Amino acid sequence: MATSQHVDENGHDDGYTKDGTVDLKGNPILRSKTGGWKACSFIVVYEVFERMAYYGISSNLVIYLTEKLHQGTVKSSNNVTNWMGTIWMTPILGAYFADAFLGRYWTFLIACGIYFLGMSLLTLAVSIHGLKPSPCANPTATDCKKASTLQLAVFFGALYTLAVGTGGTKPNISTIGADQFDEFHPKEKSQKLSFFNWWMFSIFLGTLFANTVLVYIQDNVGWSLGYGLPTLGLAISIMIFLAGSAFYRHKKPRGSPFSRMARVIIAALRKWNVQVPSDPKELYELDLGEYTKNGKVRIDSTPTLRFLNKACIKVDTTDPWMLCSVTQVEETKQMLRMIPILVATFIPSTMIAQINTLFVKQGTTLKRNIGNFSIPPASLGAFVTISLLVSVVLYDRFFMKLAKRLTKNPRGINILQRMGIGMAFHIVIMLVASFVERHRLSVARDHGLVESGKQLPLSIFILLPQFILMGTADAFLEVAKIEFFYDQAPEGMKSLGTSYSMTSLGVGNFISSFLLSTVSDITKKHGSHRGWILNNLNASHLDYYYAFFAILNLLNFIFFLFVSKFYVYKAEVSDSLAVLRQELEIGSKHRVTNSQEVSTNTHFNGST
């Protein structure tokens, strides 16, 4: 029996992990020698260097496209958001291969190789003379020589090779980190509550370096060194990850989550006219032993999305496209229940896309000198990072402790409440950005700089409020988003669940491209001005555009309140921890007898 890996003959804990994790050879592993913060230290340090590499490219990309490839405001911004949209959408494929075939560890390593190849090609594209356009005295001028087809093919080919690589690393590295904490051990489960906070801390520590040091090097020293250092950083991050391999816990791939979900939906449709029995015990389910021996949890039937229960109505066949287990149906329900919440995160993700595009372009029009030092516009992104780092620490050390006393919830506030606070911040951010831009345009008019588009006698630091508030919003929304989609995904679909949070960012970037092009075209053709978004920002109306975003965020916030009201949590931590402590105190025989009840309490505790 697999329970022998978990308890000795007297029913005591034997030190092995109980969540189905194994070593690379598939053998059970001792909790004391693997996982926990010891393993996560390598993963967190990896993320610092990898984020430095990624943001070393993305933060200043709009400036390279404008000044070196001589592209206009809308085209350069859309090229950035389309690429970043792809970056955040490819994790769906990475999650698929990890969950269905290779496992998270090997999928991650293969993707790292592709990622490094893309970074290397990109460094060559900005370094070799024949692969980049000739310099231009005034990069924004219309008579600058455009990049050739070959130059564009190499540059964007490298960018999208990089995107394929990140598709395999992004959904798996955070999931590998979360897998290092045993869900069935109270101490490790409580440690896991802080993991995603510190995970985000490591991400933005690397981002801070990229937005300050690397961006300065790119603007003032050269793009070859500015892209070469991120490539080196990525190589270091991969070596750090490999160094911790002996300490990692692994979960075996459990087959394609898409296939399992498709079987449920098709089986339900094929039996659409069959009546669901009133007694859930009459539905098809595997024996409890099939789950316990593999470290899995059986899930009882729930009344939500009742139509899908038709998939587990017993019929005279074992065809998996006609008959599914109750647990399989409930896993599919869990993934589908999260989709309305996912949709509600698209608009905030669209706002995040402005950091590396229009916010940076605004900075190019403002006074940036402090003595002889010129601040790169993209460096303002560092204030998003600083704000997030401070906010995460304050949240974890003070806000959460205060909220715990008031709510008696180990998280302080539940995940959706934290997301909602972040969404409210986005409304404020775009209102602030609109008023700041309105002031910038008034200064341009007062100094007669509208038509010339020249730099204004106004400090770049007037943009600080919108950057700082964005970091605070991320501390609530982005941290909670990653935690929510990982926590609420069923055990065999964690990578796919994690990819939901990245899909949100991908869709947000594509929405940004769509809105920018659409609003630009409509306001040029039908507006009373020449357009809201022009190459000359002094003659544009970004204040109107940002006000439009504020309204969009308000409508989205109302939608989020509506869908979150009806969301049923898979588990509420305050109860699941208590259940786990109780479960670990009882003997193995009693555990097997009551495991179905524990599963029900743990996985469907109602909505808070």
Side-chain angles (χ1 to χ4, degrees):
M1 288 285 295
T3 51
S4 64
Q5 299 171 5
H6 304 332
V7 294
D8 61 22
E9 59 185 5
N10 297 317
H12 298 133
D13 187 351
D14 64 358
Y16 284 92
T17 58
K18 299 173 175 62
D19 58 353
T21 49
V22 295
D23 63 16
L24 274 175
K25 296 181 180 179
N27 301 317
I29 47 178
L30 289 170
R31 189 183 305 108
S32 60
K33 294 184 178 180
T34 59
W37 284 111
K38 175 167 53 178
C40 280
S41 62
F42 292 95
I43 295 170
V44 167
V45 174
Y46 158 88
E47 192 65 7
V48 172
F49 281 91
E50 190 277 330
R51 292 292 84 186
M52 180 196 79
Y54 169 70
Y55 283 102
I57 302 300
S58 64
S59 297
N60 216 20
L61 183 58
V62 71
I63 299 298
Y64 186 86
L65 295 177
T66 302
E67 296 186 355
K68 300 300 178 181
L69 297 188
H70 315 311
Q71 296 183 346
T73 298
V74 173
K75 187 173 183 179
S76 61
S77 296
N78 283 350
N79 275 329
V80 171
T81 49
N82 287 336
W83 173 69
M84 293 185 70
T86 305
I87 284 275
W88 294 110
M89 292 297 284
T90 51
I92 296 175
L93 293 176
Y96 170 75
F97 280 102
D99 285 340
F101 304 110
L102 301 176
R104 292 160 191 162
Y105 180 84
W106 293 113
T107 301
F108 173 81
L109 285 185
I110 292 170
C112 278
I114 300 172
Y115 190 174
F116 183 72
L117 174 63
M119 291 286 289
S120 301
L121 288 174
L122 195 62
T123 303
L124 292 176
V126 302
S127 303
I128 298 176
H129 180 71
L131 295 179
K132 55 184 180 179
S134 302
C136 187
N138 180 9
T140 60
T142 56
D143 58 347
C144 288
K145 184 179 179 181
K146 303 296 183 181
S148 68
T149 302
L150 173 63
Q151 291 166 342
L152 291 174
V154 173
F155 184 80
F156 285 102
L159 279 179
Y160 282 91
T161 299
L162 186 161
V164 172
T166 58
T169 60
K170 285 181 183 296
N172 291 308
I173 186 62
S174 59
T175 314
I176 290 171
D179 287 346
Q180 305 312 306
F181 299 97
D182 190 347
E183 283 278 344
F184 294 89
H185 188 267
K187 182 180 178 181
E188 290 196 7
K189 186 174 180 72
S190 65
Q191 289 174 337
K192 189 175 180 178
L193 296 181
S194 292
F195 169 72
F196 286 107
N197 280 343
W198 295 105
W199 174 253
M200 291 297 289
F201 187 93
S202 70
I203 287 176
F204 285 93
L205 197 62
T207 308
L208 180 62
F209 182 85
N211 285 339
T212 52
V213 178
L214 292 180
V215 164
Y216 179 81
I217 290 172
Q218 290 165 3
D219 279 13
N220 297 280
V221 179
W223 292 91
S224 298
L225 182 61
Y227 277 16
L229 287 176
T231 304
L232 178 62
L234 179 63
I236 293 172
S237 71
I238 296 170
M239 289 187 286
I240 289 171
F241 176 83
L242 288 172
S245 294
F247 302 105
Y248 300 147
R249 299 172 186 172
H250 307 274
K251 290 192 176 179
K252 297 177 181 178
R254 297 183 176 180
S256 167
F258 297 111
S259 296
R260 296 207 303 276
M261 293 171 66
R263 288 188 189 113
V264 170
I265 295 170
I266 291 175
L269 290 172
R270 293 174 74 177
K271 291 184 281 186
W272 67 273
N273 59 345
V274 180
Q275 186 70 29
V276 178
S278 57
D279 186 358
K281 293 181 180 178
E282 295 181 22
L283 298 173
Y284 174 72
E285 180 58 291
L286 302 177
D287 292 336
L288 183 61
E290 292 293 321
Y291 294 100
T292 57
K293 74 180 182 181
N294 293 314
K296 300 178 183 179
V297 179
R298 190 168 73 178
I299 308 173
D300 287 348
S301 181
T302 63
T304 59
L305 298 174
R306 184 175 171 80
F307 174 79
L308 294 179
N309 288 347
K310 292 179 181 290
C312 46
I313 297 174
K314 295 177 181 178
V315 290
D316 295 330
T317 180
T318 58
D319 181 359
W321 296 93
M322 275 291 288
L323 182 62
C324 303
S325 68
V326 170
T327 295
Q328 186 178 345
V329 169
E330 292 304 317
E331 287 178 339
T332 302
K333 287 182 182 181
Q334 287 169 17
M335 296 305 296
L336 294 178
R337 275 199 297 263
M338 292 191 291
I339 289 178
I341 303 295
L342 172 64
V343 172
T345 65
F346 291 164
I347 296 301
S349 295
T350 303
M351 303 306 106
I352 293 172
Q354 310 314 307
I355 296 173
N356 294 329
T357 53
L358 294 181
F359 284 10
V360 173
K361 290 288 289 183
Q362 280 179 283
T364 63
T365 69
L366 299 169
K367 184 179 179 182
R368 293 177 276 135
N369 292 330
I370 300 179
N372 294 324
F373 179 76
S374 178
I375 302 172
S379 285
L380 289 186
F383 289 95
V384 177
T385 304
I386 294 169
S387 174
L388 185 137
L389 295 179
V390 172
S391 298
V392 164
V393 173
L394 291 176
Y395 183 93
D396 197 54
R397 296 303 180 190
F398 299 101
F399 178 83
M400 199 161 91
K401 290 181 179 180
L402 178 62
K404 278 181 185 179
R405 295 194 187 102
L406 298 174
T407 64
K408 309 303 179 184
N409 187 325
R411 279 190 173 97
I413 55 177
N414 68 44
I415 312 176
L416 290 179
Q417 288 171 340
R418 185 173 181 175
M419 290 172 68
I421 293 172
M423 290 186 184
F425 264 106
H426 277 287
I427 301 172
V428 177
I429 290 166
M430 299 321 295
L431 285 173
V432 169
S434 180
F435 285 121
V436 168
E437 176 64 8
R438 190 171 184 176
H439 174 62
R440 191 190 70 82
L441 292 176
S442 69
V443 172
R445 288 192 297 270
D446 292 343
H447 289 79
L449 298 173
V450 173
E451 296 301 325
S452 65
K454 291 183 178 179
Q455 193 176 89
L456 308 181
L458 192 62
S459 172
I460 193 173
F461 291 115
I462 67 162
L463 299 178
L464 276 187
Q466 61 206 58
F467 282 91
I468 291 172
L469 287 171
M470 191 69 79
T472 305
D474 285 351
F476 284 91
L477 178 56
E478 294 307 303
V479 175
K481 192 166 69 175
I482 293 175
E483 185 177 1
F484 174 81
F485 289 121
Y486 176 87
D487 181 78
Q488 295 299 296
E491 190 59 40
M493 301 181 182
K494 291 295 187 187
S495 292
L496 180 60
T498 303
S499 73
Y500 269 24
S501 64
M502 298 169 191
T503 300
S504 165
L505 291 169
V507 173
N509 274 277
F510 287 127
I511 291 175
S512 178
S513 295
F514 170 77
L515 290 177
L516 188 64
S517 296
T518 303
V519 171
S520 176
D521 290 342
I522 290 175
T523 55
K524 281 179 182 177
K525 293 177 182 177
H526 306 291
S528 58
H529 301 85
R530 287 174 293 176
W532 287 4
I533 305 112
L534 307 171
N535 291 344
N536 178 2
L537 291 191
N538 292 352
S540 302
H541 263 293
L542 288 183
D543 54 336
Y544 295 168
Y545 191 55
Y546 291 158
F548 164 68
F549 274 163
I551 296 170
L552 205 58
N553 275 290
L554 177 60
L555 296 174
N556 183 75
F557 182 66
I558 295 170
F559 171 72
F560 172 77
L561 292 178
F562 177 77
V563 297
S564 62
K565 180 180 179 180
F566 295 99
Y567 182 79
V568 179
Y569 283 92
K570 184 188 81 171
E572 199 46 56
V573 175
S574 55
D575 286 339
S576 62
L577 282 172
V579 170
L580 285 167
R581 290 192 182 96
Q582 184 179 18
E583 183 187 13
L584 291 170
E585 289 172 357
I586 61 181
S588 60
K589 292 183 179 180
H590 192 54
R591 179 189 295 108
V592 171
T593 303
N594 293 284
S595 60
Q596 183 176 352
E597 180 181 352
V598 171
S599 171
T600 305
N601 291 338
T602 302
H603 287 268
F604 295 98
N605 190 60
S607 59
T608 298

